[in-house]
Amino acid sequence: MDDGNSFLGRLLNSPTAFTFNDLILLPSYTEVEPREVDLRTRITTKYFINLPFVSAPMDTVTGADMAIALARLGGVGVLHRNCSREEQVNMARRVKRAESFIIRDVVTITPDMRVSDAIHIMNENNIHGLPVVDSFNYLVGIVTWRDVRYSDPNNLVRDIMTGRDKLVYSDESITIDEAKKLMNDYRIEKLPIVDDEGKLLGLITFKDLELRGKYPNASRDPDGRLLVGAAISPFDLDRAKKLDKYVDILVTDVAHFHNKNVMNATRVLVKEVSADVVVGNIGTKEAVLDILSRIERVDGFRVGIGSGSICKTGVVTRVAAPTLFAVANAADALSEVGGFGEIPIIADGGIKNSGDIALALAAGASAVMMGNLFAGTRESPGRLMALEGKYYKEYYGMGSSKARAKRMGLDRYSMPSKEVEEGVEGWVPYRGALSDVVSELRAGLEAAFGYVGASNIRELWSKARFAKVSPSGGLEIRPHNVFMVRG
Ligand code: IMP
């Protein structure tokens, strides 16, 4: 008889690596209405977001526009790294400047510069007002678009600026409501913030205060700026340190993180950066335990190998840890060491609809990362194409030849050394505005919580009951025996 250690035994006693298509959630007694569901979740050890959606760091999914739009809706974007360090840092800066309460990274001008310089700086940065500071950073005035528009370009800034005597400014302790009132009372659009000595610390703009009211669900950092993540390679410390100045979350972008060199490099990296560090991708219990024992600080896990819609890893290598299976394993490993719920799991790859999101969360994830579903939106950076009256957007894997041709993407799918493509190139249907896609996913997810009787993600973790679906059952629980007009 077989003892399980023979070759045949290992085949026969292998676990089932189930996927989203194999399981369903069972309905339970409920007192929860979908609109009452609270989807707030922990995205790293430090940060919480209001919607458990993360956009994948791929150059056909997450640039600055996607990161801004998704953070405004309550999720968070992870900026791709298939570009130069400077380009990635610029994307991060754009997200951080999109809106804030107090802007810290203020663009300024000095009084001895010319009006033409002020116009140039304003156009270059797409802003309409510049605090004027001397060489010691003391606030001496402000110039706005209204001041420069009809002025002689050769004039000096000091001659046209609103000087210190008429300037309205404040200190850091001002609240949002006080700032709004002050700006309304004086009919100004920019409010400089200074320290006790009068040195410039920041700037509040009326536009930012208005945007804050417009996106109450947005994910924000403690300064009120939009939350953002960025993908990094553990072997590119320089990039990580540059991004660290602007982003809140660094996400390692490695196809197989459970690798000695990768873990060693990350152990060094986490000590050099202050942002939260999410590591991955991983797919097993042992990976979680090994990583926690070797790396001092881990702020989240990115989990799932081989399930991505553009992923060929499973075909090329026959190695995979499908997302749902991988999430449950990671959740068990974390429970074993008492870290479940404290160090969040992000389920990454293979999400096709809100039902898959519900399953991933129920299996122990705190959030889901999506490439395919977001690639089709207006805000993704991919190309738009029309074919026979329908619109599509380009979507390709970061290990595809197209991404690899950009070279920068190489190390994700070439570490330790790879000669093979692990991603495909393709197109996805154009889905319009991100906000519409997110609303639909959210509504489906809230309905799932309602059926299970869970009013938040923690309750889902404890209340969810699963059942396996037979292949014929899989066909029955989707529309069938009908010619579909729409959908
Ligand atoms: P999707 O949402 O199913 O399209 O999966 C997106 C995920 O696929 C990403 O977040 C990555 O983890 C993964 N991925 C991206 N590019 C590749 C690739 O070229 N090969 C394998 N996996 C990839």
Side-chain angles (χ1 to χ4, degrees):
M1 275 311 282
D2 208 280
D3 62 1
N5 282 325
S6 68
F7 281 99
L8 184 61
R10 277 191 269 165
L11 260 65
L12 292 176
N13 296 320
S14 55
T16 306
F18 43 81
T19 71
F20 291 119
N21 300 325
D22 301 323
L23 292 175
I24 44 170
L25 287 165
L26 291 174
S28 290
Y29 167 74
T30 190
E31 292 177 2
V32 179
E33 295 302 327
R35 61 172 185 286
E36 297 162 4
V37 173
D38 178 3
L39 291 174
R40 185 174 157 80
T41 193
R42 172 173 247 153
I43 191 66
T44 64
T45 49
K46 187 154 89 199
Y47 295 108
F48 286 80
I49 55 180
N50 291 318
L51 193 64
F53 299 169
V54 183
S55 65
M58 302 170 71
D59 58 1
T60 48
V61 180
T62 314
D65 287 344
M66 174 64 72
I68 291 169
L70 188 55
R72 282 181 173 158
L73 296 169
V76 68
V78 182
L79 298 166
H80 77 85
R81 65 183 179 94
N82 210 20
C83 57
S84 70
R85 286 166 202 166
E86 290 64 38
E87 283 170 284
Q88 201 183 5
V89 165
N90 279 340
M91 290 193 274
R93 291 188 62 181
R94 260 195 64 204
V95 181
K96 284 298 180 192
R97 295 184 64 87
E99 59 187 83
S100 52
F101 174 40
I102 301 179
I103 303 170
R104 302 280 168 180
D105 184 18
V106 189
V107 182
T108 58
I109 193 164
T110 51
D112 49 352
M113 288 173 83
R114 297 194 183 275
V115 167
S116 55
D117 298 320
I119 293 174
H120 178 73
I121 296 173
M122 287 182 194
N123 285 336
E124 186 111 293
N125 292 282
N126 193 21
I127 50 183
H128 290 108
L130 297 169
V132 186
V133 293
D134 67 12
S135 51
F136 299 104
N137 202 34
Y138 283 100
L139 179 70
V140 294
I142 192 162
V143 277
T144 65
W145 185 242
R146 260 181 296 177
D147 302 325
V148 298
R149 193 169 34 178
Y150 299 116
S151 172
D152 179 344
N154 290 317
N155 276 348
L156 290 179
V157 166
R158 78 158 51 87
D159 298 328
I160 59 143
M161 70 185 189
T162 304
R164 183 88 197 220
D165 48 333
K166 293 205 193 110
L167 203 58
V168 184
Y169 53 92
S170 171
D171 64 32
E172 262 188 306
S173 64
I174 191 161
T175 63
I176 295 182
D177 289 340
E178 287 165 354
K180 262 190 186 158
K181 180 164 186 330
L182 197 63
M183 292 168 98
N184 266 326
D185 289 352
Y186 286 91
R187 296 183 185 289
I188 53 169
E189 306 227 321
K190 315 261 175 222
L191 182 68
I193 302 296
V194 295
D195 67 11
D196 307 344
E197 295 178 7
K199 282 190 181 172
L200 185 71
L201 286 179
L203 184 72
I204 297 176
T205 77
F206 200 73
K207 188 184 110 219
D208 284 337
L209 296 183
E210 276 182 337
L211 283 174
R212 231 182 138 81
K214 201 166 160 197
Y215 302 106
N217 222 21
S219 310
R220 298 180 189 281
D221 68 15
D223 280 331
R225 302 173 302 177
L226 296 175
L227 207 67
V228 67
I232 51 159
S233 156
F235 301 102
D236 190 350
L237 189 56
D238 183 50
R239 183 184 289 242
K241 281 179 157 174
K242 287 199 164 95
L243 286 163
D244 190 38
K245 295 201 182 85
Y246 302 99
V247 305
D248 311 285
I249 307 166
L250 292 167
V251 181
T252 67
D253 200 26
V254 181
H256 183 36
F257 190 88
H258 195 194
N259 164 305
K260 182 176 158 197
N261 291 332
V262 171
M263 288 192 287
N264 283 346
T266 308
R267 183 166 59 201
V268 176
L269 186 139
V270 295
K271 295 192 182 129
E272 301 278 329
V273 295
S274 57
D276 272 4
V277 179
V278 172
V279 303
N281 284 38
I282 54 154
T284 63
K285 232 171 149 176
E286 300 80 57
V288 171
L289 300 175
D290 261 0
I291 290 165
L292 290 179
S293 68
R294 289 184 200 210
I295 302 174
E296 215 164 86
R297 173 164 73 91
V298 174
D299 300 301
F301 285 101
R302 186 177 169 196
V303 175
I305 292 176
S307 291
S309 60
I310 35 44
C311 176
K312 273 208 309 201
T313 307
V315 176
V316 174
T317 65
R318 211 62 193 157
V319 174
T323 301
L324 189 62
F325 174 72
V327 164
N329 273 299
D332 281 343
L334 281 167
S335 301
E336 232 172 79
V337 294
F340 182 68
E342 307 298 315
I343 307 180
I345 293 170
I346 301 171
D348 175 23
I351 304 275
K352 303 176 297 301
N353 48 46
S354 47
D356 290 347
I357 301 177
L359 274 173
L361 296 176
S366 289
V368 294
M369 179 176 273
M370 294 176 276
N372 187 308
L373 283 182
F374 290 158
T377 63
R378 192 180 61 204
E379 287 81 353
S380 79
R383 278 186 299 149
L384 185 68
M385 180 188 71
L387 185 69
E388 292 174 357
K390 290 201 170 126
Y391 285 99
Y392 299 86
K393 279 199 107 171
E394 187 177 30
Y395 181 46
Y396 52 80
M398 299 311 291
S400 66
S401 63
K402 179 139 194 186
R404 282 156 64 97
K406 279 195 178 176
R407 306 308 292 181
M408 319 275 187
L410 250 179
D411 54 346
R412 179 177 168 105
Y413 294 97
S414 65
M415 280 309 297
S417 69
K418 283 189 187 167
E419 308 256 312
V420 64
E421 281 168 24
E422 289 187 29
V424 298
E425 294 163 38
W427 298 86
V428 291
Y430 179 60
R431 297 174 199 271
L434 177 77
S435 57
D436 293 340
V437 172
V438 164
S439 298
E440 206 180 309
L441 293 175
R442 163 182 228 144
L445 189 57
E446 288 170 348
F449 275 61
Y451 277 110
V452 174
S455 60
N456 57 50
I457 292 176
R458 270 189 183 274
E459 272 186 34
L460 183 70
W461 289 336
S462 60
K463 290 194 172 167
R465 291 180 302 145
F466 297 88
K468 297 186 199 88
V469 201
S470 65
S472 51
L475 294 177
E476 188 176 293
I477 58 165
R478 62 183 59 224
H480 55 88
N481 289 49
V482 61
F483 293 109
M484 266 197 279
V485 185
R486 212 166 59 85

